[in-house]
Coordinates of all heavy atoms in Angstrom, one line a residue:
T1 N -23.1 3.7 12.4 CA -22.3 4.6 13.2 C -23.1 5.9 13.4 O -23.2 6.4 14.6 CB -21.0 4.9 12.6 OG1 -20.1 3.8 12.7 CG2 -20.3 6.1 13.2
I2 N -23.8 6.4 12.4 CA -24.6 7.6 12.6 C -25.7 7.3 13.6 O -25.9 8.2 14.5 CB -25.2 8.0 11.2 CG1 -24.2 8.4 10.2 CG2 -26.3 9.0 11.4 CD1 -23.6 9.8 10.5
E3 N -26.4 6.2 13.5 CA -27.4 5.9 14.5 C -26.9 5.7 15.9 O -27.5 6.2 16.9 CB -28.1 4.6 14.0 CG -28.9 4.8 12.7 CD -29.4 3.4 12.2 OE1 -29.1 2.4 12.8 OE2 -30.1 3.4 11.1
R4 N -25.7 5.1 16.0 CA -25.1 4.8 17.3 C -24.7 6.1 18.0 O -24.9 6.4 19.2 CB -23.9 3.9 17.2 CG -23.3 3.6 18.6 CD -22.0 2.8 18.4 NE -21.5 2.4 19.7 CZ -20.6 3.1 20.4 NH1 -20.3 4.3 19.9 NH2 -20.1 2.7 21.5
E5 N -24.1 7.0 17.2 CA -23.6 8.3 17.7 C -24.7 9.2 18.1 O -24.7 9.9 19.2 CB -22.7 9.0 16.7 CG -21.3 8.3 16.5 CD -20.6 8.2 17.9 OE1 -20.2 9.3 18.4 OE2 -20.4 7.1 18.3
R6 N -25.8 9.2 17.4 CA -27.0 10.0 17.8 C -27.5 9.5 19.1 O -27.9 10.3 20.0 CB -28.0 9.9 16.7 CG -29.3 10.7 16.9 CD -30.3 10.6 15.8 NE -29.8 11.3 14.6 CZ -29.5 10.6 13.5 NH1 -29.6 9.3 13.5 NH2 -29.1 11.3 12.4
E7 N -27.6 8.2 19.3 CA -28.1 7.6 20.5 C -27.1 7.9 21.7 O -27.5 8.2 22.8 CB -28.4 6.1 20.4 CG -29.5 5.8 19.4 CD -29.7 4.3 19.3 OE1 -28.9 3.6 19.9 OE2 -30.6 3.9 18.5
R8 N -25.8 7.7 21.4 CA -24.8 7.8 22.5 C -24.6 9.3 23.0 O -24.4 9.5 24.2 CB -23.5 7.3 21.9 CG -22.3 7.3 22.9 CD -21.0 6.8 22.3 NE -20.5 7.8 21.4 CZ -19.7 8.8 21.8 NH1 -19.4 9.0 23.0 NH2 -19.3 9.7 20.9
T9 N -24.7 10.2 22.1 CA -24.4 11.6 22.4 C -25.6 12.5 22.5 O -25.5 13.6 23.1 CB -23.4 12.2 21.4 OG1 -24.1 12.4 20.2 CG2 -22.2 11.3 21.2
G10 N -26.7 12.1 21.9 CA -27.9 13.0 21.9 C -27.7 14.2 20.9 O -28.5 15.1 20.8
Q11 N -26.6 14.1 20.1 CA -26.4 15.1 19.0 C -26.5 14.4 17.7 O -26.4 13.2 17.5 CB -24.9 15.6 19.2 CG -24.7 16.2 20.6 CD -25.4 17.6 20.8 OE1 -25.5 18.4 19.8 NE2 -25.9 17.8 22.0
A12 N -26.7 15.2 16.7 CA -26.8 14.7 15.3 C -25.4 14.8 14.7 O -24.9 15.9 14.4 CB -27.8 15.6 14.5
P13 N -24.8 13.6 14.4 CA -23.5 13.6 13.8 C -23.6 14.0 12.3 O -24.6 14.0 11.7 CB -23.0 12.2 13.9 CG -24.3 11.4 14.0 CD -25.3 12.3 14.7
E14 N -22.4 14.4 11.8 CA -22.4 14.8 10.3 C -21.8 13.6 9.5 O -20.7 13.1 9.9 CB -21.5 16.0 10.2 CG -21.9 17.3 10.9 CD -21.0 18.4 10.7 OE1 -20.4 18.6 9.5 OE2 -20.8 19.2 11.6
W15 N -22.5 13.3 8.5 CA -22.0 12.2 7.6 C -21.1 12.8 6.5 O -21.6 13.1 5.4 CB -23.3 11.5 7.0 CG -23.0 10.1 6.4 CD1 -21.8 9.6 6.1 CD2 -24.0 9.2 6.1 NE1 -21.9 8.3 5.6 CE2 -23.3 8.1 5.6 CE3 -25.4 9.1 6.1 CZ2 -24.0 6.9 5.1 CZ3 -26.0 8.0 5.7 CH2 -25.3 6.9 5.2
K16 N -19.9 12.9 6.8 CA -18.9 13.6 6.0 C -18.6 12.9 4.7 O -18.5 13.5 3.6 CB -17.6 13.9 6.7 CG -17.8 14.6 8.0 CD -18.3 16.1 7.8 CE -17.2 17.0 7.3 NZ -17.6 18.4 7.3
S17 N -18.5 11.6 4.7 CA -18.1 10.8 3.5 C -19.0 10.9 2.3 O -18.6 10.6 1.2 CB -17.8 9.4 3.9 OG -19.0 8.7 4.3
I18 N -20.3 11.2 2.6 CA -21.2 11.2 1.4 C -21.0 12.5 0.6 O -21.6 12.6 -0.5 CB -22.7 11.0 1.9 CG1 -23.1 12.2 2.8 CG2 -22.9 9.7 2.5 CD1 -24.6 12.1 3.1
Y19 N -20.3 13.5 1.2 CA -20.0 14.7 0.5 C -18.6 14.8 -0.1 O -18.4 15.4 -1.2 CB -20.3 15.9 1.4 CG -21.7 16.0 1.9 CD1 -22.0 15.6 3.2 CD2 -22.7 16.5 1.1 CE1 -23.3 15.7 3.7 CE2 -24.0 16.6 1.5 CZ -24.3 16.2 2.8 OH -25.6 16.3 3.3
S20 N -17.7 14.1 0.6 CA -16.3 14.2 0.1 C -15.5 13.1 0.8 O -15.8 12.7 2.0 CB -15.7 15.5 0.4 OG -14.3 15.5 0.1
D21 N -14.5 12.5 0.1 CA -13.6 11.5 0.7 C -12.3 12.1 1.0 O -11.3 11.4 1.3 CB -13.4 10.3 -0.3 CG -12.8 10.7 -1.6 OD1 -12.5 12.0 -1.8 OD2 -12.5 9.9 -2.4
A22 N -12.2 13.4 1.0 CA -10.9 14.1 1.2 C -10.7 14.5 2.7 O -9.6 14.9 3.1 CB -10.9 15.4 0.4
D23 N -11.7 14.3 3.6 CA -11.5 14.7 5.0 C -10.7 13.8 5.8 O -10.1 14.2 6.8 CB -12.9 14.8 5.6 CG -13.7 16.0 5.1 OD1 -13.2 17.1 5.0 OD2 -14.9 15.8 4.7
G24 N -10.6 12.5 5.4 CA -9.8 11.6 6.1 C -10.6 10.9 7.2 O -10.0 10.2 8.1
F25 N -11.9 11.0 7.3 CA -12.7 10.3 8.2 C -14.1 10.4 7.6 O -14.4 11.1 6.7 CB -12.7 11.0 9.6 CG -13.0 12.4 9.6 CD1 -14.3 12.9 9.8 CD2 -12.0 13.4 9.4 CE1 -14.6 14.2 9.8 CE2 -12.3 14.7 9.5 CZ -13.6 15.2 9.6
D26 N -15.0 9.5 8.2 CA -16.4 9.4 7.6 C -17.5 10.1 8.3 O -18.4 10.6 7.7 CB -16.7 7.9 7.5 CG -15.8 7.1 6.6 OD1 -15.6 7.5 5.5 OD2 -15.3 6.0 7.1
V27 N -17.4 10.2 9.6 CA -18.4 10.7 10.5 C -17.8 11.7 11.5 O -16.8 11.4 12.1 CB -19.2 9.6 11.2 CG1 -20.2 10.3 12.2 CG2 -19.9 8.7 10.2
L28 N -18.4 12.9 11.6 CA -18.0 13.9 12.6 C -19.0 13.9 13.7 O -20.2 14.3 13.5 CB -17.8 15.2 11.9 CG -17.2 16.3 12.8 CD1 -15.8 16.0 13.2 CD2 -17.2 17.7 12.1
S29 N -18.6 13.5 14.9 CA -19.5 13.4 16.0 C -18.9 14.3 17.2 O -18.1 15.2 16.9 CB -19.7 12.0 16.5 OG -20.6 11.8 17.5
V30 N -19.3 14.0 18.4 CA -18.7 14.7 19.5 C -18.3 13.7 20.5 O -18.7 12.5 20.5 CB -19.8 15.7 20.2 CG1 -20.1 16.8 19.3 CG2 -21.0 14.9 20.7
V31 N -17.4 14.1 21.4 CA -16.8 13.1 22.4 C -17.8 12.4 23.2 O -17.9 11.2 23.3 CB -15.7 13.8 23.3 CG1 -15.3 12.9 24.4 CG2 -14.6 14.3 22.4
D32 N -18.8 13.2 23.8 CA -19.9 12.6 24.5 C -20.9 13.7 24.8 O -20.8 14.8 24.3 CB -19.5 11.9 25.8 CG -18.7 12.8 26.8 OD1 -19.1 14.0 27.0 OD2 -17.7 12.4 27.4
A33 N -22.0 13.3 25.5 CA -23.1 14.3 25.7 C -22.6 15.5 26.5 O -23.3 16.6 26.4 CB -24.2 13.5 26.5
T34 N -21.6 15.4 27.3 CA -21.1 16.5 28.1 C -19.9 17.2 27.6 O -19.6 18.4 27.9 CB -20.8 16.1 29.6 OG1 -19.8 15.1 29.5 CG2 -22.0 15.5 30.2
D35 N -19.2 16.6 26.7 CA -18.0 17.1 26.0 C -18.3 17.2 24.5 O -18.3 16.2 23.8 CB -16.8 16.2 26.3 CG -15.5 16.8 25.7 OD1 -15.6 17.8 25.0 OD2 -14.4 16.3 26.0
L36 N -18.5 18.5 24.1 CA -18.9 18.6 22.7 C -17.7 18.9 21.7 O -17.9 19.3 20.6 CB -19.9 19.8 22.6 CG -21.2 19.7 23.4 CD1 -22.1 20.8 23.1 CD2 -21.9 18.4 23.0
S37 N -16.5 18.5 22.2 CA -15.3 18.5 21.3 C -15.6 17.6 20.1 O -16.2 16.5 20.3 CB -14.1 18.0 22.1 OG -13.8 18.9 23.2
R38 N -15.2 18.0 19.0 CA -15.4 17.2 17.8 C -14.7 15.9 17.7 O -13.4 15.9 18.0 CB -15.1 18.1 16.5 CG -15.8 19.4 16.5 CD -17.3 19.3 16.5 NE -17.9 19.3 15.2 CZ -19.2 19.0 15.0 NH1 -19.9 18.6 16.0 NH2 -19.7 19.1 13.8
L39 N -15.4 14.9 17.4 CA -14.8 13.5 17.4 C -14.9 13.0 15.9 O -15.9 12.9 15.4 CB -15.5 12.5 18.3 CG -15.1 11.1 18.2 CD1 -13.7 10.9 18.7 CD2 -16.1 10.2 19.0
R40 N -13.7 12.7 15.4 CA -13.6 12.2 14.0 C -13.7 10.7 14.0 O -12.9 10.1 14.8 CB -12.4 12.7 13.3 CG -12.4 14.2 13.1 CD -11.0 14.8 13.1 NE -11.0 16.2 12.9 CZ -11.4 17.2 13.8 NH1 -11.6 16.8 15.0 NH2 -11.4 18.4 13.5
I41 N -14.5 10.1 13.2 CA -14.7 8.6 13.2 C -14.5 8.1 11.8 O -15.2 8.5 10.9 CB -16.1 8.2 13.7 CG1 -16.4 8.8 15.1 CG2 -16.2 6.7 13.8 CD1 -17.8 8.6 15.6
E42 N -13.6 7.2 11.7 CA -13.4 6.5 10.4 C -14.1 5.1 10.6 O -13.8 4.4 11.5 CB -11.9 6.3 10.1 CG -11.6 5.5 8.9 CD -12.1 6.1 7.6 OE1 -12.3 7.3 7.6 OE2 -12.4 5.4 6.6

């Protein structure tokens, strides 16, 4: 997912689950290359 999101958005996603399992999702990305709203991915 990290690799796919980096290719899809051109942004570096955050791998949240390796730091904590309390966030309720694993990867924090963005909606797309033009919309930088935060996208939570489980």
Side-chain angles (χ1 to χ4, degrees):
T1 287
I2 292 287
E3 294 172 358
R4 179 184 186 275
E5 288 302 295
R6 183 180 289 112
E7 294 176 359
R8 185 183 70 85
T9 67
Q11 304 289 323
E14 298 179 38
W15 196 345
K16 304 292 286 188
S17 63
I18 63 174
Y19 297 102
S20 171
D21 62 356
D23 292 310
F25 55 91
D26 297 312
V27 175
L28 186 61
S29 186
V30 295
V31 172
D32 57 44
T34 60
D35 183 351
L36 300 185
S37 301
R38 305 302 263 168
L39 174 66
R40 293 151 180 79
I41 305 175
E42 177 60 28

